[in-house]
Amino acid sequence: NPELWRNRIITDSFEPGSTFKVFLISAAMQENVVKAKDRVFCENGKYKLARHTINDVHPYGWLTIAEVVKFSSNIAASKVALQVGNERYFRYIQAFGFGSLTGVHLPGEVKGIVRHYRKWRPIDLAVAGFGQSIGVTALQLNTAIAVLANGGEYIPPLIARAIVDAEGQVVESFEPRPLRRVIHEKTAEQIRAMMHSVTQEGGTGVNAAPEGYTAAGKTGTAQVMDPVSGRYASNRYTSLFTGFIPADNPRLVMTVVIH
């Protein structure tokens, strides 16, 4: 079936859901909008913004920023996004590589969907804090998580280490090279610690830690648009986990997407 021929990690874009909270918190901490121990009131599960209601799966009162990542509060994320503001948040979204090609040497890559911040209403900014109204590819998401894993630098992904001839001699080699610094190393370290807590007791990704390893990551459950109604479908979701092992010395970054 030709429908199955495409390379979905670069050709399919989807809403990243709560996995996006780590990039929001990275931006907020880098800009000194919040600190890890600051607390946000989560409105006991329901938060009205203009004519919209933002919900949490589990009702919370006060959560620290670190707990916002661990327990994945949409309400707290929306409040932090409103504090960061359209322009600053948009700048970090771009710096993490969303809305542009990764440049990996594979055909059919798409840019994803990131509308310009000047078109964002307050509700658009709020929901972007927890990964709605934005489209990403699996490779973009994986590469952005690698920024956090490697200390805050964006390194474009490669698929080959070298090209060799018939005799096994190297014709051309490729080395990963940082393209830009997105956040400071200290900020990345703090976010990594929060992501580690996600896989520990009480976190949303406790089952994601392989036995014998420390793991860090972020879960996400994103609603899917119904192409007919133009609204979110009530029975269709994208489930995600993205993270790295070992948590304290990352060597492998992995993103799992289940449509």
Side-chain angles (χ1 to χ4, degrees):
N1 184 341
E3 182 68 13
L4 303 178
W5 293 354
R6 68 185 189 274
N7 184 348
R8 288 176 175 269
I9 69 160
I10 56 172
T11 64
D12 292 17
S13 64
F14 51 88
E15 292 193 353
S18 290
T19 60
F20 221 66
K21 287 171 185 164
V22 294
F23 309 119
L24 166 70
I25 301 301
S26 296
M29 291 184 68
Q30 184 63 39
E31 293 291 319
N32 292 315
V33 173
V34 296
K35 293 182 173 60
K37 291 183 179 176
D38 287 352
R39 299 202 306 160
V40 184
F41 184 56
C42 301
E43 309 287 340
N44 296 310
K46 284 194 180 298
Y47 175 47
K48 283 220 105 27
L49 183 62
R51 291 172 298 147
H52 305 272
T53 302
I54 296 170
N55 298 292
D56 277 341
V57 175
H58 303 289
Y60 297 108
W62 290 93
L63 291 179
T64 65
I65 293 298
E67 288 171 334
V68 169
V69 174
K70 180 171 184 172
F71 300 128
S72 204
S73 167
N74 291 343
I75 291 169
S78 65
K79 288 185 172 185
V80 172
L82 291 167
Q83 283 183 272
V84 174
N86 285 16
E87 192 273 332
R88 279 194 296 192
Y89 189 28
F90 179 78
R91 183 158 37 91
Y92 279 92
I93 289 171
Q94 287 189 311
F96 273 106
F98 300 107
S100 59
L101 302 177
T102 67
V104 71
H105 293 136
L106 292 168
E109 185 179 17
V110 300
K111 293 181 178 181
I113 303 164
V114 179
R115 289 188 303 144
H116 197 275
Y117 72 88
R118 289 197 183 95
K119 296 179 180 177
W120 292 359
R121 301 165 298 164
I123 187 62
D124 297 321
L125 172 59
V127 300
F130 53 89
Q132 283 190 355
S133 77
I134 283 174
V136 308
T137 67
L139 187 60
Q140 283 178 334
L141 183 56
N142 207 67
T143 306
I145 291 294
V147 172
L148 303 173
N150 69 33
E153 290 185 311
Y154 182 90
I155 302 175
L158 297 170
I159 57 164
R161 178 162 289 180
I163 297 172
V164 298
D165 62 20
E167 282 73 47
Q169 300 299 308
V170 174
V171 176
E172 187 178 0
S173 60
F174 306 96
E175 290 295 326
R177 289 191 174 86
L179 189 63
R180 58 181 172 267
R181 176 159 289 284
V182 181
I183 56 174
H184 294 151
E185 201 162 329
K186 184 182 177 185
T187 307
E189 189 180 321
Q190 290 175 297
I191 301 297
R192 286 199 303 269
M194 294 178 195
M195 293 172 73
H196 186 199
S197 75
V198 169
T199 67
Q200 295 177 304
E201 190 176 348
T204 58
V206 71
N207 291 329
E211 191 175 341
Y213 290 88
T214 56
K218 186 72 191 75
T219 54
T221 305
Q223 292 173 285
V224 177
M225 278 288 185
D226 184 322
V228 177
S229 69
R231 297 174 180 273
Y232 285 113
S234 61
N235 60 344
R236 297 178 65 207
Y237 298 92
T238 301
S239 295
L240 303 112
F241 181 84
T242 182
F244 46 85
I245 57 170
D248 53 350
N249 181 31
R251 301 294 296 151
L252 175 68
V253 180
M254 184 181 291
T255 296
V256 180
V257 184
I258 302 173
H259 294 292

